[in-house]
Amino acid sequence: QQPVQSPQAVILREGEDAVINCSSSKALYSVHWYRQKHGEAPVFLMILLKGGEQKGHEKISASFNEKKQQSSLYLTASQLSYSGTYFCGMRGGATNKLIFGTGTLLAVQP
Amino acid sequence: DVKVTQSSRYLVKRTGEKVFLECVQDMDHENMFWYRQDPGLGLRLIYFSYDVKMKEKGDIPEGYSVSREKKERFSLILESASTNQTSMYLCASSPARTSYEQYFGPGTRLTVT
């Protein structure tokens, strides 16, 4: 079952903050976040591992609540370049397989 | 830089045709993946491979098969294309360890008429 992302879409002005949430009905081992700009391939942003280790982007932060099976991506002081569709991918065990959410469309306006 | 390439950006095929989508990666990654992307449905995993000649079904394998004869190449095969397989197909690769990111190719937009 796919993770649920919220909101489905959000429009911001430059400099505003945004939070994108991702939740799963299954126990999680790690959460991956990707951004896809229009017409381009998804690009890796961040991995959050069970136990708290985090690897990824310096200007974007995220949290991972293992007990609630939820993750949130925090975009602060948004820039025009942040526009795109954000996907969370969740891994439920010792597997290389990710189950991706349905995506959150973020549009940053001047 | 990791590079994942896909054989075509756009492809138009007729119903019933056999379709091959090719993906090549140049970073000696063990894992390779095929996804399809549809509006409102996100990225859905069709098949993945964790080694040469090894494969595992994803969430929507029906109507598809795969082949991995060489480590760098992973092919997606539509045995008999149908209109409901019109979609964007994305290939990805990653190193063996599960905590590593996936690198995506540019995608192939397949239209089946």
Side-chain angles (χ1 to χ4, degrees):
Chain A
Q1 192 172 0
Q2 280 185 287
V4 176
Q5 284 188 236
S6 63
Q8 287 186 318
V10 57
I11 301 174
L12 299 174
R13 296 266 183 213
E14 268 187 296
E16 291 181 337
D17 301 339
V19 180
I20 300 172
N21 301 302
C22 182
S23 63
S24 172
S25 57
K26 296 183 177 181
L28 299 175
Y29 193 85
S30 66
V31 180
H32 298 217
W33 285 96
Y34 290 78
R35 177 172 60 210
Q36 184 180 30
K37 294 186 181 250
H38 182 69
E40 298 181 9
V43 173
F44 166 77
L45 292 175
M46 180 165 295
I47 290 176
L48 299 105
L49 304 175
K50 193 175 180 180
E53 187 182 356
Q54 179 173 308
K55 301 180 185 180
H57 207 286
E58 289 182 358
K59 295 187 178 181
I60 296 173
S61 62
S63 64
F64 179 20
N65 187 322
E66 299 163 33
K67 287 184 179 178
K68 291 187 176 180
Q69 294 144 214
Q70 293 175 344
S71 179
S72 295
L73 188 71
Y74 305 98
L75 303 156
T76 56
S78 58
Q79 305 168 16
L80 294 175
S81 61
Y82 286 8
S83 293
T85 300
Y86 289 77
F87 293 101
C88 65
M90 293 186 154
R91 188 164 65 85
T95 170
N96 296 307
K97 177 177 154 180
L98 287 179
I99 307 298
F100 282 94
T102 52
T104 295
L105 178 62
L106 179 77
V108 181
Q109 297 178 340
Chain B
D1 262 0
V2 174
K3 199 166 184 183
V4 180
T5 56
Q6 295 183 228
S7 50
S8 307
R9 288 303 301 269
Y10 300 94
L11 207 53
V12 180
K13 295 291 182 180
R14 293 195 181 275
T15 301
E17 278 192 85
K18 191 168 185 175
V19 181
F20 293 86
L21 302 183
E22 304 283 338
C23 175
V24 177
Q25 51 94 3
D26 67 358
M27 281 302 290
D28 202 37
H29 285 169
E30 286 74 15
N31 301 319
M32 295 188 76
F33 308 83
W34 274 107
Y35 296 92
R36 66 176 281 176
Q37 183 174 20
D38 301 288
L41 298 178
L43 299 164
R44 293 181 293 166
L45 182 65
I46 305 171
Y47 267 99
F48 71 101
S49 169
Y50 47 92
D51 203 349
V52 174
K53 297 190 187 292
M54 307 301 286
K55 62 186 179 186
E56 197 167 317
K57 290 181 181 178
D59 300 310
I60 51 165
E62 297 78 19
Y64 304 94
S65 62
V66 290
S67 172
R68 193 164 179 205
E69 297 295 320
K70 293 185 177 181
K71 191 174 185 180
E72 69 271 17
R73 188 179 297 268
F74 191 34
S75 302
L76 180 70
I77 304 156
L78 287 66
E79 296 290 342
S80 178
S82 64
T83 54
N84 63 13
Q85 292 178 310
T86 291
S87 187
M88 171 67 83
Y89 290 88
L90 289 163
C91 174
S93 72
S94 74
R97 286 188 60 188
T98 54
S99 60
Y100 279 76
E101 62 266 34
Q102 294 185 15
Y103 295 85
F104 283 84
T108 295
R109 183 162 295 281
L110 173 67
T111 302
V112 183
T113 62

